[in-house]
Structure formats: C-alpha cells, structure tokens
Amino acid sequence: MIIQKISRILSNYDNILPLFAGACAILAVIALLSLPLPYFEDQLYPKQIVPGSTLNPYDRGGPPFTQADIRLQYPQNSPTAGYVTAYLTPFSLFLSRTTMYMGTTIVAHPGGILDEILYNTRGLDTVVEPTILFISFAIAAYIFHRRED
Amino acid sequence: MNEIGGVPLFFLEFGDIVAYFSPFTLTLFLLALVFSVFVIVSRPERQIDIAFGADAFFAKEISLPELRFRRFMAIACGLACMGAMVTGDVFDFTLFVSLVGICNVGIVAAVRTYHVQDAAYQYGLVALAGTVPLFSAAAIVAATTGTLSMLELASPAAPAVPLIARALLVLGVMGEGMAPFYAAKAEMFRAPGAPYVIMCSLSSLLIFLRVTEVVLLL
C-alpha cells in the first residue's frame, strides 16, 4: 500500500524536481552541520599564487626549455610532464613580458600557455568537459532548429 | 588495495587518470558496449495506437532526422557510460556521469510529443540540480584526501573520505540517472523509439551500479 502511494506520487514528473531539491537541501544542511571537514595539507596538485609572475595562476615554475619539477599521482605515466609550461612560443613570451594577463589567455591564441596539470596529466578530463558542452549544444541546436519545420 | 570489484585485470593510463578493468567494471563496460552496438544496428520500433470503437489503428512514424539525432544521442550515452564504468578517477567519474545525464535528456527531448517534452524538461532540471552535489562530492574528496585517484583512495593508508562526500556523490548520481524515479520515467518509455529510450534506463542502472562500487571503494 505504501509503495503504491509513493509510486503514485513519483509517477507525476512535476513532483520530481521538488523532491530532489528537498533531498539536496536536507543533505546540504547535514553537510553544513558536519563542518569543519579536515583539510589534507599534502595536496596532490598544490597551487601557489605568485603575485609577481605574469603566468599566474598557471606558473608551475622552471626555466624555459628545461623540465620543471611537478607533483603527479603517477609520474611514470607522464614522462614529459614539466615541459609544457616551461615552453612558450615567441608571441606568448612577448605577451608574458609586456603584460600581466598571460594567464588569462590559456588557449586564446596559438601556442598560448597550457596548464601542465589541466591539459597534460589530466587530459582526459579536458576531453570530457568540452564533450558535455558540445552534446548540450547539439541538443539545443536540434530543438531550436526543429521549431522551424 | 580494497578489491571490492575483484582484482584489476589491466590498467589503461591517461596520465594521472587511470582506467582499470576489474571483473566488475569489465562486466559493466561490456554491457554498455553490447547495448551500444545494438543501438547502432537496430531500427526503432513503431508504436501502434488502436482506435477505440472503430476498426482502425495508427502507426507512429519516426522521421529520419529524429531517428538520426536520437541514435547519435544514444551512442554518445553508451560511450559516456563505458567511460564512467572503467574510470579510476573520482572527478572523471563525475564528469562522465553528468554526460550520461545530459545524453538521457537529449534522447527524450527529440520526441515531438507534448507530454514527453514536458517530462524531458523536468528531467533536465533534475540533472542540472544533480551536478551540484556531484561535483561538490569530488571537491570534498580532493580537499580532504589530497588525491582523486580511486586506486590511491582504496589503499588502507589513504586518509578517510568523509561520509558526507559519499552521500553527496550518491545523491548526485541519483539526480543524473534518476535511478529511483523509474515510476516517473514511464513518460520516457511511452516515447516512441524503443532501443534509444531503453538506453536511458540502462545507463542510469549502470551508473548506479558503478557508484555503489565507488562509494564502497573510497
């Protein structure tokens, strides 16, 4: 009987969003009550902001054309890690020397700064993220286009 | 390592993201793969409506563009599922799960029936809301343990993942896959085009099976 009632409420799709939002709210309250959570100091991907650096916040250190020392989970999987941010194209080098905004042009121009962690060692994430974006574009485009026919 | 899904048979390395194939994940991966192949080769069903009081019936035709789009979405959903089944990284898992959620909405959003579109809109909102607990779980895991690799987190030496992170992860997956809301998904199944629509429920079942392993592994 009770399952029948629950099933009847759930079968109306208008009830799902309030129900889910309620569950999210309850869990958010529990999460707030369980604060403070311990912060693990020994982070795998540490990031320090160097105020003077023009490559901020993608400055992983190291002189150009030599390998920088970067922390990785599986160093054996990324033998070339540390070379990416150490290399800048002439235009990128020019930008980094004349402006403070090199870090904001991650992939905005050819040979722009590439974050070692973001685009090299965790490259699969970078592939999946635009895939999500493109799939949602495809859905939006299809629905918008269909309205005309 | 805490081998809840069996001993990993082999590893596929993408830098720091390592996909692992244990008997459990390999089974789920093969299930997603086989169903994706079915979706590619099969033709959509044609629903028949019987008219009451008359000797008549209507067959619902699916236009070629709609068929193509829904097949594309179903294949994308299958690929996202395969990724979510084998990935060994918490953040990567959440990304694949949200991709599954969006593909699910895409499969039903292509249907021209009013009530199916209405349902797809509601599911889209739930999937949208589900990303908040999903990604906050990944963020909490990263902050409290310092790593995102499931293989590292499964080792006994790793710092404990707080219970709230697991709860948020499960809630996020519930939102993306709408796993406990099968009663409401009836609207989805009423949509014409059988193999594509079943991809929705299969994918949510698979990601739900996988998240149980992830939660027990952490």
Side-chain angles (χ1 to χ4, degrees):
Chain A
M1 281 305 279
I2 188 125
I3 291 173
Q4 215 172 19
K5 270 183 192 163
I6 292 171
S7 167
R8 185 159 301 152
I9 293 167
L10 279 181
S11 68
N12 184 359
Y13 50 75
D14 287 328
N15 290 337
I16 291 187
L17 189 61
L19 215 90
F20 187 74
C24 281
I26 291 167
L27 210 60
V29 168
I30 296 171
L32 284 175
L33 291 177
S34 71
L35 290 177
L37 293 165
Y39 180 71
F40 195 71
E41 289 297 334
D42 187 23
Q43 288 283 319
L44 179 61
Y45 306 116
K47 194 160 227 177
Q48 59 271 32
I49 304 291
V50 189
S53 169
T54 50
L55 303 182
N56 247 344
Y58 298 103
D59 191 1
R60 301 272 174 195
F65 303 114
T66 45
Q67 201 163 7
D69 196 23
I70 285 174
R71 273 199 72 185
L72 300 172
Q73 186 80 66
Y74 304 106
Q76 69 274 17
N77 294 348
S78 313
T80 55
Y83 277 115
V84 173
T85 45
Y87 171 75
L88 295 174
T89 59
F91 182 62
S92 309
L93 197 64
F94 167 76
L95 264 186
S96 70
R97 282 188 179 157
T98 49
T99 70
M100 284 298 283
Y101 308 112
M102 185 57 201
T104 59
T105 63
I106 309 176
V107 282
H109 69 274
I113 190 169
L114 292 170
D115 186 25
E116 185 77 48
I117 302 294
L118 216 57
Y119 294 101
N120 194 8
T121 59
R122 296 189 62 86
L124 189 62
D125 282 352
T126 322
V127 176
V128 181
E129 279 163 24
T131 309
I132 298 175
L133 205 64
F134 287 144
I135 291 280
S136 33
F137 280 155
I139 297 169
Y142 179 82
I143 290 174
F144 184 76
H145 188 67
R146 199 188 47 188
R147 206 179 291 161
E148 289 164 3
D149 56 49
Chain B
M1 173 188 166
N2 174 10
E3 280 148 357
I4 212 121
V7 185
L9 303 172
F10 61 97
F11 298 96
L12 194 63
E13 291 114 359
F14 299 96
D16 271 6
I17 297 166
V18 175
Y20 67 95
F21 293 80
S22 66
F24 181 73
T25 60
L26 186 64
T27 312
L28 298 182
F29 177 84
L30 288 178
L31 211 63
L33 181 69
V34 167
F35 202 81
S36 301
V37 172
F38 278 159
V39 162
I40 292 169
V41 297
S42 68
R43 295 160 67 95
E45 59 143 9
R46 286 181 184 169
Q47 282 186 342
I48 304 286
D49 279 358
I50 305 289
F52 272 102
D55 187 14
F57 60 87
F58 310 98
K60 287 180 189 164
E61 285 287 330
I62 295 171
S63 64
L64 195 63
E66 187 185 322
L67 185 149
R68 279 198 189 130
F69 181 76
R70 295 179 71 193
R71 189 170 54 196
F72 163 66
M73 277 298 151
I75 295 167
C77 190
L79 288 172
C81 249
M82 285 180 233
M85 289 311 107
V86 294
T87 183
D89 188 271
V90 178
F91 183 65
D92 207 40
F93 175 71
T94 56
L95 279 178
F96 275 122
V97 166
S98 59
L99 184 52
V100 167
I102 285 176
C103 288
N104 273 352
V105 174
I107 291 169
V108 277
V111 183
R112 298 205 70 148
T113 321
Y114 174 77
H115 67 85
V116 176
Q117 293 250 298
D118 211 19
Y121 177 67
Q122 295 289 335
Y123 301 140
L125 289 179
V126 172
L128 191 72
T131 54
V132 177
L134 199 63
F135 289 110
S136 54
I140 291 174
V141 168
T144 53
T145 66
T147 181
L148 284 165
S149 167
M150 288 178 199
L151 299 166
E152 298 299 317
L153 290 168
S155 73
V161 175
L163 190 66
I164 190 71
R166 298 169 202 220
L168 286 168
L169 190 66
V170 173
L171 189 71
V173 170
M174 278 163 79
E176 294 297 337
M178 289 168 287
F181 305 136
Y182 282 121
K185 273 181 132 180
E187 294 297 331
M188 274 189 177
F189 300 135
R190 275 161 63 189
Y196 313 133
V197 174
I198 289 170
M199 194 75 209
C200 298
S201 56
L202 184 84
S203 61
S204 56
L205 175 73
L206 287 177
I207 58 172
F208 216 69
L209 283 173
R210 173 78 169 131
V211 81
T212 49
E213 193 221 351
V214 173
V215 163
L216 292 173
L217 203 70
L218 293 181

